[in-house]
Amino acid sequence: MKKKWIGGAVSLLLVLCLVISGCSSKNSETAGGEAASDEKQVDLTLLSSWSTDTERGKALQTVVENFNKKNENKIKVNVDINPDWPALQQKVKTMIAAGQTPDIFNYNFNPNDLSRQKSGKLLNLTEYMDDAWKSRFTEQDLQAMTVDGELTSIPFEKAGILFYYNKDLFAKAGIEAFPTTWDEFFDVCEKLKDAGITPISLMTADDAWHATNAFSYLAASLGGTSVFDAGKSLDTPEVVKAAEYMKKLFGYTTADALGGNYSVSSNNFLTGSTAMIIDGPWLIGSISEELSPSIAVAASPTFGDGKVQPGFTVTDTYTPWSLGKTNSKEKEEAAVDFLKYMTSEESSKIFTLEGSILLSTKLTLTEEETTQAGPILGEYIKTNSEAPESIVNLVRNLKPAAASKLPALIEGMMFDRYTPEQFVKQLQAANQ
């Protein structure tokens, strides 16, 4: 009986030794192979609206692929795309509220809506902001992203919104140059209209982007670049006058502008149905090769009274990137590594030259690289970089209640349900 027990024990011991030996051999094999590592790969999900059929989406894909290749078997960033930007921002807010903050995401910064920053769910990046990374940004931009002493967002994009115009349509109407004053601008609109050409693309759906770009330019031209400063009332004579001009401008747009969204408005310009549009650099990637030679970029008109400097710009808000808090230090450090790579000189050139994205990160382009950007982007970069002052589009600074009400208020004014004075008063009331 004792012998039988000993024999069984020896057999069991031999089996265990074989299993252990096999595992050891396998681990050793894996460690020497390409796919092998004792460390577990960190997977991260990045939420973005930049679809891969756009230049900016392709640029993001390139940057992500480059990062994943450099960190093969260690870190992998997976991109989750939702091309509906407003819907994506709402999704992020919902995820934060549910305690499921995305690993990596970007959003429109609004000083009147700091719900993301105050949620306590975003990673404070202050301890990671070493001198090398800090040198990539201006102190002003970093301060703008610091809320309650915490740097929970990294400056990334703050694009100038400029005037694009179709030179061929201008020539057809006998117009030789882009107007430098608003009086000249409305004269140009009349000439285009008389020539059977719809002057400008506008829209009222979603954030009424193209309409509010015009409104912001007009208000700043009348009241200076401080006209929308935080704490200031919107109910001023300058803003009312800007609303009057915006209403006049809707007399020079397409029939589908009322109720139309960004796709409708931009498509009218991109198909040659309108002569002008006020938009950011992302539009450039959608301009076809056939249309490209006809398109030029210009700075805004002014009223010539010194309220703003010629060449001033309206800009989009900061569109920074943030990271969700995590209990995993490895995941936290991996996400920070990606943000550092994303804002590096190497990646910034890819975003600018291939994605037509103008960034907050510092970037020096050679003359050759500017030429490489192409005539439209090259002209955009030159015009944007020469701006002596700027103001953020009004809709990016409104409180959520006012921003959501703005499209209906614009449409109400167009249908004469509200006067410009009533439009402004209601907007101010919603923004309290």
Side-chain angles (χ1 to χ4, degrees):
M1 187 73 175
K2 185 176 180 181
K3 286 182 180 180
K4 187 175 180 182
W5 181 87
I6 293 173
V10 170
S11 298
L12 179 60
L13 183 61
L14 284 171
V15 171
L16 288 172
C17 287
L18 286 171
V19 170
I20 292 169
S21 174
C23 289
S24 174
S25 174
K26 186 176 179 182
N27 285 341
S28 175
E29 235 177 29
T30 306
E34 266 183 20
S37 175
D38 290 334
E39 296 180 6
K40 186 179 179 183
Q41 176 178 282
V42 177
D43 288 311
L44 300 168
T45 299
L46 178 151
L47 299 190
S48 173
S49 66
W50 301 351
S51 56
T52 52
D53 60 348
T54 64
E55 284 195 346
R56 57 179 37 209
K58 291 174 185 175
L60 176 62
Q61 185 179 36
T62 298
V63 168
V64 170
E65 287 176 354
N66 288 350
F67 178 82
N68 286 343
K69 188 174 181 181
K70 290 174 186 286
N71 294 276
E72 192 171 4
N73 302 320
K74 296 177 182 177
I75 308 169
K76 183 177 181 182
V77 175
N78 303 286
V79 182
D80 182 356
I81 297 171
N82 179 348
D84 187 333
W85 179 238
L88 179 59
Q89 292 199 78
Q90 188 55 51
K91 177 182 178 180
V92 168
K93 282 188 172 185
T94 301
M95 291 178 73
I96 291 174
Q100 299 174 338
T101 308
D103 297 332
I104 309 166
F105 66 95
N106 66 335
Y107 66 97
N108 280 339
F109 177 78
N110 185 340
N112 285 311
D113 179 13
L114 299 175
S115 58
R116 302 172 189 83
Q117 290 85 347
K118 292 180 180 292
S119 68
K121 307 292 177 59
L122 307 189
L123 178 65
N124 182 5
L125 295 157
T126 304
E127 67 173 286
Y128 292 104
M129 188 53 65
D130 53 33
D131 289 342
W133 198 16
K134 191 175 183 179
S135 69
R136 299 289 302 136
F137 313 97
T138 66
E139 188 62 33
Q140 179 185 13
D141 286 348
L142 289 174
Q143 283 300 319
M145 296 295 101
T146 302
V147 177
D148 295 336
E150 293 192 352
L151 180 65
T152 51
S153 300
I154 291 299
F156 188 72
E157 183 181 4
K158 187 185 177 187
I161 309 302
L162 301 179
F163 287 69
Y164 295 79
Y165 66 101
N166 189 313
K167 294 179 290 185
D168 291 345
L169 295 181
F170 267 47
K172 185 178 177 181
I175 304 162
E176 297 181 356
F178 194 81
T180 59
T181 70
W182 283 108
D183 288 339
E184 292 172 355
F185 182 88
F186 282 103
D187 286 343
V188 162
C189 287
E190 276 296 318
K191 288 180 182 178
L192 288 165
K193 191 173 181 179
D194 289 345
I197 300 165
T198 304
I200 191 166
S201 283
L202 297 173
M203 56 177 277
T204 61
D206 298 331
D207 54 7
W209 180 243
H210 294 134
T212 56
N213 285 335
F215 184 40
S216 298
Y217 265 117
L218 286 161
S221 296
L222 290 159
T225 54
S226 63
V227 69
F228 298 143
D229 277 2
K232 272 192 173 182
S233 172
L234 295 172
D235 190 3
T236 65
E238 292 81 11
V239 177
V240 171
K241 189 68 177 176
E244 291 176 5
Y245 276 116
M246 180 172 63
K247 182 172 183 178
K248 180 178 180 180
L249 194 57
F250 267 87
Y252 297 108
T253 192
T254 55
D256 56 10
L258 294 177
N261 60 14
Y262 181 89
S263 296
V264 169
S265 183
S266 58
N267 190 61
N268 283 330
F269 179 77
L270 295 170
T271 56
S273 298
T274 60
M276 293 181 284
I277 194 169
I278 312 171
D279 210 348
W282 49 83
L283 179 76
I284 297 170
S286 301
I287 298 173
S288 67
E289 290 184 13
E290 295 76 19
L291 185 64
S292 183
S294 303
I295 305 304
V297 180
S300 170
T302 71
F303 284 102
D305 56 5
K307 290 290 180 66
V308 286
Q309 300 179 57
F312 88 102
T313 58
V314 167
T315 74
D316 197 355
T317 187
Y318 289 101
T319 307
W321 289 88
S322 290
L323 306 178
K325 275 186 178 178
T326 172
N327 293 325
S328 167
K329 193 66 175 177
E330 291 79 10
K331 191 171 185 178
E332 177 180 306
E333 291 176 348
V336 170
D337 284 347
F338 177 73
L339 273 194
K340 286 187 174 183
Y341 180 73
M342 196 181 200
T343 53
S344 67
E345 179 84 4
E346 176 187 346
S347 297
S348 294
K349 285 193 176 184
I350 292 172
F351 282 121
T352 299
L353 298 176
E354 299 179 21
S356 301
I357 307 170
L358 274 291
L359 305 178
S360 296
T361 49
K362 294 176 182 176
L363 179 65
T364 302
L365 297 179
T366 64
E367 189 173 332
E368 182 181 349
E369 286 170 332
T370 303
T371 302
Q372 175 194 336
I376 301 176
L377 181 57
E379 190 175 10
Y380 174 95
I381 292 172
K382 182 176 184 297
T383 304
N384 189 62
S385 64
E386 292 176 351
E389 55 184 341
S390 65
I391 180 175
V392 174
N393 178 306
L394 169 66
V395 76
R396 301 305 197 212
N397 283 324
L398 292 174
K399 293 182 179 178
S404 64
K405 195 172 182 180
L406 181 59
L409 288 175
I410 294 175
E411 291 176 3
M413 183 169 64
M414 296 309 121
F415 287 118
D416 293 323
R417 290 198 291 268
Y418 314 122
T419 64
E421 291 86 355
Q422 291 169 332
F423 162 80
V424 171
K425 285 186 183 300
Q426 291 202 43
L427 185 61
Q428 169 60 22
N431 200 48
Q432 295 289 1

